[in-house]
Amino acid sequence: ATIINSIMMFVYYGSELFPGSSGIMENIGIMFAGKKTPEMLAKENAFYARQAAAKEAAGEEEATTHGGWTLWSKLQVVVVLVFLVFFALGFDVCVVSICAGAILMVMAAYKRQHYDPRPDNTEYDAEGNPLPMKKTYDMDGNEIEPEEEELVTESETTLTEVDYGLLMLFIGQFLLIGSFDDTGIPQAFFSLTMGGCAEQMTSVPCVYWFVMIVTILSNVASNVPVVQMLAATFPYASPYDWMQVSFSATIAGNLTMLGSAANMIVAFQAAKVGDRTFTSERHAPFGIPSCLACLYAGTFLLTVVHFSPECSERLGECDNNA
C-alpha cells in the first residue's frame, strides 16, 4: 500500500509537492539530495518573511530557540514508544491506551499550568487600542479588584477544544449500527450478496467479492461501524477471516471521503485553518484508483502468505487441530 500510494502521489500531486521540478529525476534529487528549485526557494523565503512580519506586528522578541525537540516532545515520544512496546507484548489494548492517554494528559496539564505563557484576554477597539478591563461588583455593590494572574484550569482549556460534533457522530453511528444488528437485516444482506460464498467468504475466489462488499458498506456507513456490524454477523469467524476484514475495511476507508472518519477529521481541521481544497472531488481521482489497487494487491498477498489460523477459536476448532 505504501509503494502504490507513493507512486500515485507523485503522479497526481508531483507539481504541487515539487514546484518547478522538471521531472522524476529532479524530484528524487529534491527528496534525497536536498536540492531546491527557484520556485521552492521563493515559497520558502515568502514563508519566513510572513513569519518575521507576524512577529514584528505582534511585538514579539526574536526567537531564542535553536530548533530541535523540546523536553516535552521527547517525553511524549518516550510514552508513545512504551505504549507500542506494551502493545507488541500482547497486553490489553484498552488498558494500555487508557494509561498512555492519562499520562499524556497529565503531562500536558502540568506543562500548560507551569510553563506555557498565560493567555492574553485583552480586548481591543476597532482602531486596535486596548480596552480597559470590565469592572465587576459583588452582591453589596462593591467593586471586585481583578487578580494579578487569573488561574486558568485544565478543564477550561481542554473542554473548549473537544470536537463535540465529531463525538456525537461516532455515538450516533454506534447506536444506529447496534440497533440495526438486532433487526437481522445485516445477516440477511450478507447471505443474499455472498450467495454460495457465505460459508467460505475468505476462500479464493470468494474473498475478492467479500472485500468488495466490505468496501461498499464502508463507504456507505463508514468503516468503523461496519466492522462492528460484522462482529455480530459472523460471531464464529476465524482469525484469518478477521485479518481480511481488518485489512479490507481499513483500505476501503480511502475510497471516498465518507469511507473513514479520519478523512472527515482531516477535512474539518483543514477547513478550520482556511484550507477548503480537501473535498470529495479532489479526493476521488486519487482515492478511488489507489484504494482499489491497494485493496486487491493486498488481498492477493494475504491469501498467499499469512500466519493466522483458519479455524474458529470460539467453536473450539483450533484446539482440535492442535
Side-chain angles (χ1 to χ4, degrees), residues 34-84:
K35 297 180 179 179
K36 297 181 181 179
T37 64
E39 289 81 357
M40 293 175 66
L41 291 173
K43 289 180 178 291
E44 186 176 299
N45 293 333
F47 171 75
Y48 287 121
R50 287 195 300 269
Q51 276 194 327
K55 288 182 179 180
E56 185 178 354
E60 296 180 1
E61 299 180 356
E62 185 122 5
T64 57
T65 57
H66 302 285
W69 288 15
T70 64
L71 172 64
W72 301 104
S73 299
K74 294 177 181 178
L75 290 176
Q76 289 174 340
V77 171
V78 170
V79 173
V80 173
L81 290 176
V82 172
F83 161 74
L84 293 176

Side-chain angles (χ1 to χ4, degrees), residues 179-197:
S179 302
F180 191 51
D181 288 338
D182 296 335
T183 64
I185 295 177
Q187 294 84 340
F189 173 79
F190 269 96
S191 297
L192 178 64
T193 54
M194 293 299 294
C197 292

Side-chain angles (χ1 to χ4, degrees), residues 1 4 208 247 291-304:
I4 293 174
Y208 297 107
F247 174 78
C291 173
L292 295 178
C294 294
L295 184 68
Y296 283 103
T299 301
F300 170 75
L301 291 176
L302 285 175
T303 59
V304 175

Side-chain angles (χ1 to χ4, degrees), residues 40-303:
M40 293 175 66
L41 291 173
K43 289 180 178 291
E44 186 176 299
N45 293 333
F47 171 75
Y48 287 121
R50 287 195 300 269
Q51 276 194 327
K55 288 182 179 180
E56 185 178 354
E60 296 180 1
E61 299 180 356
E62 185 122 5
T64 57
T65 57
H66 302 285
W69 288 15
T70 64
L71 172 64
W72 301 104
S73 299
K74 294 177 181 178
L75 290 176
Q76 289 174 340
V77 171
V78 170
V79 173
V80 173
L81 290 176
V82 172
F83 161 74
L84 293 176
V85 170
F86 277 91
F87 176 73
L89 292 175
F91 285 81
D92 185 84
V93 178
C94 296
V95 175
V96 176
S97 300
I98 292 174
C99 292
I103 294 173
L104 291 174
M105 288 178 63
V106 171
M107 288 172 50
Y110 186 83
K111 174 177 177 291
R112 185 178 286 117
Q113 290 290 341
H114 298 281
Y115 289 90
D116 289 352
R118 297 293 181 185
D120 184 12
N121 298 321
T122 305
E123 297 182 357
Y124 300 87
D125 58 17
E127 298 178 356
N129 301 315
L131 297 174
M133 295 186 64
K134 295 180 180 179
K135 296 182 179 181
T136 56
Y137 301 87
D138 58 17
M139 296 296 292
D140 299 327
N142 302 317
E143 182 180 349
I144 301 175
E145 295 294 334
E147 298 179 359
E148 294 183 359
E149 189 175 18
E150 183 181 0
L151 178 63
V152 180
T153 64
E154 182 66 16
S155 59
E156 290 175 330
T157 56
T158 302
L159 293 179
T160 56
E161 299 175 1
V162 176
D163 193 335
Y164 292 99
L166 185 65
L167 188 62
M168 293 304 297
L169 173 64
F170 272 107
I171 293 174
Q173 283 183 334
F174 281 104
L175 289 175
L176 177 62
I177 295 300
S179 302
F180 191 51
D181 288 338
D182 296 335
T183 64
I185 295 177
Q187 294 84 340
F189 173 79
F190 269 96
S191 297
L192 178 64
T193 54
M194 293 299 294
C197 292
E199 300 297 329
Q200 46 183 357
M201 57 185 180
T202 54
S203 61
V204 180
C206 295
V207 64
Y208 297 107
W209 176 241
F210 173 71
V211 297
M212 178 55 67
I213 298 298
V214 173
T215 301
I216 295 173
L217 288 177
S218 296
N219 287 273
V220 172
S222 192
N223 56 359
V224 174
V226 166
V227 173
Q228 182 189 12
M229 182 178 67
L230 290 173
T233 306
F234 304 108
Y236 302 111
S238 67
Y240 170 68
D241 295 337
W242 281 117
M243 185 177 64
Q244 288 284 9
V245 170
S246 62
F247 174 78
S248 57
T250 301
I251 299 297
N254 297 326
L255 188 69
T256 64
M257 287 280 289
L258 185 61
S260 174
N263 296 337
M264 294 183 282
I265 293 173
V266 171
F268 291 154
Q269 295 301 320
K272 285 183 179 179
V273 297
D275 184 1
R276 300 184 180 276
T277 59
F278 188 55
T279 60
S280 298
E281 294 79 7
R282 183 169 170 79
H283 178 273
F286 176 83
I288 294 176
S290 168
C291 173
L292 295 178
C294 294
L295 184 68
Y296 283 103
T299 301
F300 170 75
L301 291 176
L302 285 175
T303 59

